Amino acid sequence: MPAGGTTTVVRESGGGAEGAEECERDVIIRQQVSSWRDAKFRNILLLGFAFMVLFSAFQTCGVIQTIVLKSYFGDDASTLGYTSLAILYATLGVANWFSPFIVSLIGPKWGMIAGGLCYSLFIAIFLKPFYGTLYAGSVLVGVGAAVLWTAQGMFLTVNSDKQTMART
């Protein structure tokens, strides 16, 4: 199959054996296009499932972060979770300016893998939290989130065509 998954049907006029070859060629080309679309659809489904799993874990941590940190560090850490999330989203805002460059260098697939690993490391920090690792993890996930969301947008664009681009 040609790169990019697009094929052109060349019609030849004629009868007999040429007509049978033409019909067979049309069937093969339709199968290639169908297979290409099915692979892209599978990519989108896998992307949705991966994001569901990743963000179920991350949003759970975000919601219970202050409670967990307060129980671990005591009452003096009552705003630690809020500070961590503020650092995360401030870093995300700044990192959004250079994340397209990173994604163009490493590609959308590796960008999503790198971003997902950053989120996973941030979640793992809650196994044994420290002030330094919590703040460093917040910066790391802020950069990782910018790369992840930029890569996700590029991945969706690559796996879409004119019929699926405007789907609601």
Side-chain angles (χ1 to χ4, degrees), residues 5-165:
T6 57
T7 56
T8 305
V9 177
V10 177
R11 301 251 182 229
E12 298 175 5
S13 58
E18 288 180 3
E21 285 179 22
E22 179 183 333
C23 184
E24 184 177 320
R25 194 174 358 179
D26 286 350
V27 169
I28 290 171
I29 290 171
R30 284 190 192 115
Q31 288 172 346
Q32 287 176 341
V33 170
S34 176
S35 173
W36 173 75
R37 285 187 181 152
D38 290 345
K40 291 191 178 241
F41 184 66
R42 281 192 306 269
N43 285 343
I44 300 301
L45 288 178
L46 183 59
L47 176 70
F49 180 75
F51 267 63
M52 179 192 71
V53 170
L54 179 66
F55 284 99
S56 292
F58 175 72
Q59 293 298 332
T60 301
C61 280
V63 168
I64 66 169
Q65 181 175 9
T66 300
I67 298 166
V68 169
L69 294 173
K70 189 175 179 182
S71 70
Y72 189 79
F73 291 114
D75 286 335
D76 61 331
S78 61
T79 61
L80 187 59
Y82 302 122
T83 306
S84 168
L85 289 176
I87 292 169
L88 187 158
Y89 288 111
T91 305
L92 172 65
V94 172
N96 274 327
W97 286 98
F98 60 85
S99 63
F101 175 72
I102 294 172
V103 174
S104 70
L105 288 177
I106 63 177
K109 179 176 109 176
W110 289 106
M112 288 188 295
I113 289 171
L117 286 174
C118 290
Y119 272 95
S120 299
L121 289 173
F122 181 75
I123 293 165
I125 286 172
F126 289 96
L127 295 175
K128 185 78 170 156
F130 295 104
Y131 287 101
T133 57
L134 182 64
Y135 293 145
S138 296
V139 170
L140 179 70
V141 79
V143 172
V147 171
L148 177 78
W149 286 107
T150 303
Q152 180 256 1
M154 183 184 253
F155 188 79
L156 283 174
T157 302
V158 166
N159 283 286
S160 297
D161 55 20
K162 287 186 180 193
Q163 286 96 16
T164 60
M165 193 70 77

